[in-house]
Structures are given as C-alpha cells and as structure tokens.
Amino acid sequence: RKNPDEATLEQVLAPDLYARWAALKRKYMPRNNKVERWRPIFAAGELYEEATEESGLSSKNLVWPVVRRIAKKNDIPITESMVAVKIEAPRDAIKEFAATGIDDSHCFAVTLERLETDLGAMKARANAWADGNLEALRALPFADQNAACREAILNATVAEKNGMQDLPARVEAAWLASAEAALRKNASTFALLPIGRLLADDGYLAGLRARGYEIIAPD
C-alpha cells in the first residue's frame, strides 16, 4: 500500500489535489496519519470508506448472504461465475508492485470529487435502490471512481505481465455464459448482481439483449 521510497502523498500529488485531500482528511479521518505514506489509490479508498460510513452508508453486500441462505435451505443449486487468474511468481509480482509506481492520480481525483459533491446523491441512490425505484436511479448518474481505480490497477506493469488487463471483459463473458447455460437448463433462474452492472448502457443486461434476449424491466 505504501508509496515507493516511502514518499508521502504531499510529495507525489499535485499541490491542488493534495489540498483537497487534506481538507477531506481533516473532516473524515483527522487522526489517521498512516495513510499519508500510502499510494493515492489506497488512501482514497480508506477516505471513501470513512466518509460514507460517517454518512450512514455502507458498501457491504447485505443481500447475498440472505439469498444464499434461502437457496441452501430450499436445496436450490447455486452457480458462482468465476474467472481464475494464475500468477506464476506471486512474491516477485508483489515486490515489483511495491517498487514501481502506478498511474492512480485520476482514480484519486475522481474519488475526492465524489466525496466533495455526491454524498447527498449517494443517499438518494441508496434509498432508490432499497425501494426498487429504477427511474430515480437512472436520474442520478455519477462518475464511478471504482472504474477509474480498477483501470489504474489493471494498467500497472505487473498486471499487464500477468495477463490481467482484460479481466473485466473476461468476468463479463464468464457471467453471460453462465447465465445463458442456466436459462437453457432451468424453467426459471434467479441472478444477483450489483444494480450498476444492470443499468449501465454497456452492462450485463445489454450483453444479454445483444444476444437476442428480450429484457422486460419491472414497473
């Protein structure tokens, strides 16, 4: 998690970006000084967790444990769509990652922007999700910092060397293949996904629609 050569965030970030970070850090985690030597991507993640938790929000998966328990209780088979990534020399990969920089400034900036401008809308989205209000969710778009941070990791040299750059596409292809297999086999199939992967223009439902499936959204 630490910057190469024990560099601080103030040393690796542009002055204006660090000033924005410092203001948010004072507000949400004033006593956490260890993050000042973390890479921007990890420092931003820690800040995001603290800020959202203080705002009464959580990124914990509350639904899956309930669904899994009901499925197992009723002897309903569960298919988890998985993609395996094999790293031949994991210790060397970790050492290389620790010693080299990654381009995570955009991830950092987008995370700060969300915390500066989007916390209120996050609460509105959470309530819309809980109520199943798709219209409200579509009316509250946002710049997803997770996508920017994932891209930063996947574009790192060590990720490229280990064939991880196309991982999101492989994950989507694996899920779509599992979904199609289930739809062919079962009279009815239930799938569980983050709502963002369903509503996005290039999301999983769009992938099914492109394969000829009819998608009927709930009222």
Side-chain angles (χ1 to χ4, degrees):
R1 291 184 297 189
K2 291 185 178 180
N3 286 305
D5 302 321
E6 294 287 326
T8 65
L9 286 173
E10 189 170 12
Q11 291 171 325
V12 301
L13 294 171
D16 61 329
L17 199 55
Y18 182 78
R20 291 166 59 194
W21 152 264
L24 289 168
K25 181 181 177 298
R26 283 194 299 270
K27 183 175 182 179
Y28 294 114
M29 49 180 194
R31 290 181 293 277
N32 187 343
N33 294 319
K34 64 182 180 181
V35 294
E36 288 291 342
R37 293 194 180 276
W38 286 9
R39 295 175 190 262
I41 189 171
F42 295 115
E46 185 81 358
L47 178 65
Y48 184 85
E49 289 296 326
E50 291 287 345
T52 51
E53 183 177 337
E54 187 170 315
S55 300
L57 299 166
S58 172
S59 58
K60 293 179 180 178
N61 190 340
L62 303 177
V63 178
W64 172 234
V66 177
V67 172
R68 181 173 54 194
R69 185 166 60 249
I70 294 172
K72 288 186 175 181
K73 181 180 178 180
N74 292 277
D75 295 321
I76 298 172
I78 298 172
T79 300
E80 296 192 51
S81 183
M82 305 290 289
V83 173
V85 176
K86 185 176 181 179
I87 299 177
E88 297 293 344
R91 289 185 180 180
D92 292 341
I94 291 172
K95 288 179 181 178
E96 181 178 354
F97 183 79
T100 57
I102 59 174
D103 185 9
D104 54 0
S105 58
H106 179 59
C107 154
F108 190 82
V110 175
T111 304
L112 296 190
E113 182 180 355
R114 285 207 71 191
L115 295 178
E116 291 165 338
T117 64
D118 198 48
L119 279 173
M122 284 187 203
K123 294 179 181 180
R125 281 188 214 97
N127 288 327
W129 173 83
D131 293 336
N133 190 336
L134 298 182
E135 183 179 352
L137 284 169
R138 289 192 175 99
L140 293 165
F142 63 98
D144 184 7
Q145 86 282 0
N146 292 311
C149 297
R150 182 171 59 247
E151 184 177 347
I153 291 292
L154 294 179
N155 285 335
T157 303
V158 66
E160 183 178 349
K161 286 182 178 179
N162 287 280
M164 297 171 62
Q165 285 189 303
D166 63 345
L167 195 54
R170 289 161 58 193
V171 169
E172 180 174 348
W175 187 89
L176 289 171
S178 295
E180 284 200 292
L183 290 168
R184 285 193 299 266
K185 178 182 178 182
N186 304 327
S188 62
T189 296
F190 178 88
L192 189 66
L193 284 170
I195 192 68
R197 291 190 181 180
L198 297 180
L199 297 184
D201 292 337
D202 59 349
Y204 287 15
L205 288 182
L208 287 172
R209 189 179 290 111
R211 297 181 182 210
Y213 291 92
E214 180 184 6
I215 308 298
I216 302 174
D219 296 330

